[in-house]
Amino acid sequence: MHPRDQTIFALSSGRAPSAIAIVRVSGPGAGPALTALGGTIPPARTATRMLLRDVSGQPLDDSVVLWFPGPASATGEDVAEFHVHGGRAVLASIFGALAAHENMRAAEPGEFTRRAFENGKLDLTEAEGLDDLIHADTDRQRRQALRQLKGLLGDRARDWRGRIIEASALIEAGIDFSDEGDVPAELIAPALVKIKALLGEIEEVLAAQGQSERLRDGLVVAIAGPPNVGKSTLMNQLVRREVAIVSPHAGTTRDVIEVQLDLDGYPVTVIDTAGIRETDDPVEQEGVRRARARAAEADLVLWLADRADARIDHAGTAPVWRVRNKIDLDPASRPLAEVSDRGEFAISARGGDGLPELIAALVQFAQDYFGASEGGLISRTRQRQLLEQAALSLQRSIAVVGEGEELAAEELRVAAHSLGRLLGRVDVEDILDVIFREFCVGK
């Protein structure tokens, strides 16, 4: 039996225990399962209170049930939802009762959304937007994911693909009528107008994307420097909770500690690295090695030191800000306003002096780093690469149309194919598993 002919079920709400839990069932067996547990099928899309029972007639839970007959459902199949009390024992009994039905099994991660995609309820860009929305940690990530889920990129891609096909039809008609004098020229001219307009629109989207792809993963800021200069204290101040051990002894942090931070709506990963110094301790040596490697991959490094003349020991290509700590212990420290404009800061991580200026600079760096991501349509590398391929094919079609209409038609076919891959409608089986397995179970 094909997996799509089986009925799947899963918990589609938060982990137990909870006040209410939602168990979703999708597939041809959803109706029979609902009848078996609740005794009847309620009116479509109407919340109905039901006492659920197992096969022996024993009560399972007092629940609210919703019935969505396909294809007018989230997955395009028959869907039943059981809104039950969120205790572990209740859920175990519901799952057991469902699993006892023939051709019914627990869902794999992302399987509900994949069925929705396969049944034409959403395209691949919308599915990616849904995944991004589930995993959004900040408001800016949420807004970007919601644009994808609304189909803004998919709608544009469908329009572009349709217009490419129209232009291709004109060129191919010119090929068919090439022996009839001026007919080919009369067909090629409007086709070229369409292709050039399409190319301009796609290039405009590619140029305006800014750093929208990076908004999914966030900005990585590494706090690095020699031991015992206050790196963990600074990290605790930035995240406003005790996430790193603060100790006056050198070598306390022997690995890399990462914390997700919402910085004015921008997703930022702050890394507290082991103090970089020469040491004979093999464990600390490994910590220093990891610290150097992680700092080298960061997008911004805050090099923390407690002396104004401290040497920066960093081999990466990311910008490095010199942050002098413990100014509360040195009355002769330079005023903050003189140093912050040059990527240099003077702070007291313990007392809080200078931290507002450092945080404001980090917010400005994040704004510049993410660029025009708020208005960008592209959120994933896959999407950008396919649009670039489509644009390149359109450019080639314009370049070769004078050499032969057949070559131009082939380039248009390749461009339409790239947009079809973007939407997930052609030749994408190799990436579907990769995309949908990133989803959580029950979605």
Side-chain angles (χ1 to χ4, degrees):
M1 175 177 289
H2 194 281
R4 279 175 287 185
D5 295 328
Q6 296 177 319
T7 301
I8 56 175
F9 65 88
L11 176 67
S12 291
S13 56
R15 291 184 299 174
S18 60
I20 299 296
I22 301 174
V23 178
R24 178 181 291 174
V25 183
S26 180
L34 181 52
T35 302
L37 270 67
T40 186
I41 294 181
R45 290 169 290 280
T46 301
T48 305
R49 184 177 178 181
M50 282 187 178
L51 178 63
L52 303 182
R53 299 178 183 272
D54 61 17
V55 292
S56 64
Q58 294 298 313
L60 297 175
D61 191 28
D62 189 7
S63 70
V64 172
V65 172
L66 286 165
W67 168 243
F68 303 94
S73 69
T75 64
E77 305 173 328
D78 288 345
V79 172
E81 286 186 359
F82 300 91
H83 295 236
V84 299
H85 294 95
R88 293 188 179 91
V90 173
L91 289 173
S93 65
I94 299 295
F95 292 156
L98 291 172
H101 286 75
E102 187 177 2
N103 295 325
M104 187 172 294
R105 59 174 174 82
E108 299 291 336
E111 194 166 5
F112 287 98
T113 306
R114 180 159 183 168
R115 291 191 176 196
F117 164 75
E118 290 172 341
N119 290 323
K121 290 296 179 178
L122 71 173
D123 63 42
L124 201 52
T125 66
E126 293 167 330
E128 289 170 327
L130 177 58
D131 184 39
D132 291 345
L133 188 61
I134 293 170
H135 293 98
D137 292 320
T138 72
D139 194 55
R140 294 181 190 274
Q141 286 178 317
R142 177 191 63 80
R143 291 200 295 266
Q144 175 173 281
L146 197 56
R147 286 196 300 273
Q148 289 282 2
L149 183 56
K150 287 181 177 179
L152 297 187
L153 176 59
D155 290 344
R156 294 290 297 277
R158 272 184 289 274
D159 176 62
W160 291 331
R161 190 163 184 257
R163 289 157 62 189
I164 288 174
I165 293 172
E166 290 176 0
S168 181
L170 289 173
I171 289 179
E172 291 180 2
I175 296 172
D176 294 338
F177 293 101
S178 59
D179 58 345
E180 298 187 16
D182 295 334
V183 174
E186 294 174 357
L187 295 173
I188 297 300
L192 278 175
V193 171
K194 288 179 179 290
I195 296 170
K196 290 178 180 179
L198 280 165
L199 178 59
E201 292 179 21
I202 294 176
E203 288 179 336
E204 183 180 358
V205 169
L206 287 169
Q209 68 172 313
Q211 305 289 348
S212 55
E213 296 162 59
R214 297 183 179 180
L215 191 59
R216 293 183 61 246
D217 300 321
L219 171 69
V220 178
V221 177
I223 304 175
N228 203 29
V229 293
K231 295 188 296 298
S232 297
T233 303
L234 174 58
M235 182 174 188
N236 290 336
Q237 284 277 27
L238 290 176
V239 302
R240 291 183 174 84
R241 56 190 175 96
E242 298 295 326
V243 296
I245 301 172
V246 179
S247 165
H249 304 293
T252 300
T253 303
R254 295 198 173 195
D255 206 337
V256 178
I257 301 173
E258 300 188 9
V259 173
Q260 304 298 319
L261 182 65
D262 183 340
L263 191 64
D264 193 33
Y266 294 108
V268 177
T269 299
V270 181
I271 303 171
D272 177 18
T273 61
I276 296 177
R277 66 171 182 174
E278 297 299 325
T279 176
D280 295 328
D281 184 340
V283 176
E284 191 172 351
Q285 285 177 345
E286 176 61 17
V288 171
R289 186 195 67 78
R290 295 185 183 185
R292 290 183 185 276
R294 197 68 176 93
E297 297 172 353
D299 302 305
L300 174 66
V301 176
L302 304 183
W303 187 268
L304 202 64
D306 53 8
R307 304 193 323 272
D309 59 349
R311 181 177 66 91
I312 294 178
D313 183 12
H314 173 67
T317 58
V320 180
W321 291 357
R322 183 191 296 271
V323 182
R324 183 185 177 190
N325 192 23
K326 304 182 182 180
I327 61 171
D328 52 322
L329 303 180
D330 183 7
S333 296
R334 290 177 291 174
L336 300 174
E338 292 183 11
V339 296
S340 61
D341 290 340
R342 298 197 300 270
E344 299 181 1
F345 300 84
I347 68 168
S348 170
R350 186 177 299 278
D353 297 334
L355 285 179
E357 290 80 4
L358 177 59
I359 292 173
L362 287 172
V363 171
Q364 184 60 54
F365 184 88
Q367 291 175 345
D368 296 338
Y369 177 85
F370 291 113
S373 61
E374 282 289 317
L377 293 180
I378 303 170
S379 64
R380 299 198 177 204
T381 301
R382 183 192 77 87
Q383 299 167 357
R384 174 179 53 79
Q385 290 175 340
L386 288 170
L387 279 184
E388 287 174 345
Q389 291 172 15
L392 182 60
S393 295
L394 291 176
Q395 291 170 354
R396 289 173 177 167
S397 70
I398 295 171
V400 301
V401 70
E403 303 173 12
E405 288 78 10
E406 294 86 353
L407 296 176
E410 175 60 20
E411 292 295 345
L412 290 179
R413 187 195 66 79
V414 173
H417 186 79
S418 296
L419 294 179
R421 286 178 58 84
L422 176 65
L423 296 167
R425 295 307 174 204
V426 295
D427 193 24
V428 291
E429 287 299 322
D430 55 334
I431 65 168
L432 291 183
D433 289 339
V434 175
I435 290 176
F436 287 108
R437 71 179 173 220
E438 294 179 355
F439 281 68
C440 54
V441 174
K443 199 59 183 163

